[in-house]
Amino acid sequence: MSTPSSPSPACINSWSISEDSLRRYVSYASESCIQELLSASDSSREIGDDGWKVLAFENGVEISKRRSGALHVFRSRWLLQSVSLQQFITVANAIDAAKQWDPDLVEAKYIKDLGENLSIIHLKFGDASKPLFKKREFVVYERRETMDDGTLVVAVASLPKEIAAGLLPKKNNSIRGLLLQSGWVVEKLQDDSCIVTYVVQLDPAGWLPRFFVNRHNTKLVMIIENLKKLAQDCPTSKAICEDN
């Protein structure tokens, strides 16, 4: 999954960016992410022909990875029996995912909507978080698209530090950029079940040690298991889930 380049932190601390420029940047970045998610979920290709290497397959769950430059993108594909697309889309969002990335998510709020299907969200993790997230803040976009056949695609990725810092009301030394690129493709099946493909690339800019990134990638790509449980507990609407 490719990431638009950003200036070195040594060059600039934050950008004051207009809403129109922000919308153009995020629209371009998220469209690229959407297309890569659709490509990753294409089950018509033979295994191995698309660059994905299967690491495990058990009980309808496939875990695989694909090289992207010097890094790896990880993918999990889940056959969710008795969980409908309508149920799962209630939890296929940036905030519910962030709670699974690390349970010590102390604040999550929408900063602004750039369109009907494109939002900017601020995530703040606390002292008890794992080292990757501990006392860190991220600004992510969330883009949701429904294909002609009803398949839902949701792209979630963190913005570069300079843009993220410019969106917050005051200077913040805890803000970090380009944490990950990720997303879901949720395909409806005939029997009120669905197939969910979750793709994640941690640290796409390549700043962290590779072994550290791969270890966390393999954990993050498994969050579908917990999201499935949330979806089963919130079968009717997103509003009910949020109220809980």
Side-chain angles (χ1 to χ4, degrees), residues 12-33:
I12 189 167
N13 290 322
S14 67
W15 287 347
S16 178
I17 187 170
S18 70
E19 186 161 322
D20 187 54
S21 295
L22 177 65
R23 184 181 293 106
R24 286 199 302 271
Y25 174 88
V26 175
S27 294
Y28 172 79
S30 61
E31 178 61 29
S32 176
C33 191

Side-chain angles (χ1 to χ4, degrees), residues 159-209:
L159 297 177
K161 178 179 179 180
E162 298 80 17
I163 295 178
L167 294 173
L168 298 179
K170 55 185 178 181
K171 187 175 180 180
N172 188 338
N173 292 328
S174 298
I175 199 75
R176 291 295 182 269
L178 299 177
L179 168 69
L180 55 72
Q181 289 190 111
S182 63
W184 301 265
V185 178
V186 188
E187 304 170 72
K188 182 179 181 180
L189 298 179
Q190 296 296 324
D191 58 349
D192 214 24
S193 299
C194 64
I195 294 177
V196 178
T197 301
Y198 182 58
V199 181
V200 59
Q201 182 179 14
L202 185 63
D203 184 40
W207 294 336
L208 297 173

Side-chain angles (χ1 to χ4, degrees), residues 182-240:
S182 63
W184 301 265
V185 178
V186 188
E187 304 170 72
K188 182 179 181 180
L189 298 179
Q190 296 296 324
D191 58 349
D192 214 24
S193 299
C194 64
I195 294 177
V196 178
T197 301
Y198 182 58
V199 181
V200 59
Q201 182 179 14
L202 185 63
D203 184 40
W207 294 336
L208 297 173
R210 222 175 300 176
F211 76 92
F212 180 81
V213 170
N214 287 339
R215 184 178 65 195
H216 280 79
N217 270 329
T218 55
K219 294 179 180 179
L220 293 180
V221 81
M222 296 299 291
I223 69 170
I224 301 302
E225 185 170 6
N226 288 338
L227 291 178
K228 174 188 175 181
K229 295 174 183 176
L230 289 177
Q232 290 173 321
D233 291 339
C234 301
T236 53
S237 71
K238 185 176 180 180
I240 293 177

Side-chain angles (χ1 to χ4, degrees), residues 2-235:
S2 57
T3 306
S5 60
S6 62
S8 165
C11 300
I12 189 167
N13 290 322
S14 67
W15 287 347
S16 178
I17 187 170
S18 70
E19 186 161 322
D20 187 54
S21 295
L22 177 65
R23 184 181 293 106
R24 286 199 302 271
Y25 174 88
V26 175
S27 294
Y28 172 79
S30 61
E31 178 61 29
S32 176
C33 191
I34 289 281
Q35 294 305 316
E36 293 190 33
L37 289 169
L38 287 170
S39 177
S41 69
D42 186 357
S43 58
S44 65
R45 300 180 182 180
E46 293 292 331
I47 294 177
D49 288 350
D50 56 1
W52 290 97
K53 178 182 179 181
V54 176
L55 303 176
F57 185 83
E58 185 176 354
N59 298 325
V61 179
E62 174 202 307
I63 309 299
S64 52
K65 69 178 181 179
R66 176 176 60 82
R67 183 171 291 278
S68 177
L71 305 172
H72 285 96
V73 183
F74 282 73
R75 175 183 73 183
S76 63
R77 302 183 70 177
W78 299 68
L79 171 59
L80 302 186
Q81 300 281 6
S82 302
V83 178
S84 68
L85 180 147
Q86 289 76 17
Q87 282 179 276
F88 192 81
I89 63 176
T90 63
V91 297
N93 61 76
I95 292 177
D96 279 324
K99 292 175 183 177
Q100 306 309 317
W101 297 341
D102 193 290
D104 195 35
L105 178 69
V106 297
E107 184 177 320
K109 62 182 180 181
Y110 285 82
I111 295 178
K112 62 176 62 183
D113 291 325
L114 299 177
E116 290 184 2
N117 62 347
L118 188 58
S119 302
I120 304 296
I121 301 163
H122 176 216
L123 305 172
K124 181 178 180 180
F125 294 89
D127 291 344
S129 292
K130 303 179 186 71
L132 178 64
F133 299 96
K134 186 175 182 179
K135 299 176 69 174
R136 300 300 189 196
E137 300 183 39
F138 305 92
V139 176
V140 303
Y141 67 72
E142 176 186 297
R143 178 169 173 177
R144 309 173 73 87
E145 294 287 349
T146 301
M147 303 295 105
D148 292 340
D149 63 356
T151 296
L152 176 73
V153 188
V154 184
V156 175
S158 49
L159 297 177
K161 178 179 179 180
E162 298 80 17
I163 295 178
L167 294 173
L168 298 179
K170 55 185 178 181
K171 187 175 180 180
N172 188 338
N173 292 328
S174 298
I175 199 75
R176 291 295 182 269
L178 299 177
L179 168 69
L180 55 72
Q181 289 190 111
S182 63
W184 301 265
V185 178
V186 188
E187 304 170 72
K188 182 179 181 180
L189 298 179
Q190 296 296 324
D191 58 349
D192 214 24
S193 299
C194 64
I195 294 177
V196 178
T197 301
Y198 182 58
V199 181
V200 59
Q201 182 179 14
L202 185 63
D203 184 40
W207 294 336
L208 297 173
R210 222 175 300 176
F211 76 92
F212 180 81
V213 170
N214 287 339
R215 184 178 65 195
H216 280 79
N217 270 329
T218 55
K219 294 179 180 179
L220 293 180
V221 81
M222 296 299 291
I223 69 170
I224 301 302
E225 185 170 6
N226 288 338
L227 291 178
K228 174 188 175 181
K229 295 174 183 176
L230 289 177
Q232 290 173 321
D233 291 339
C234 301

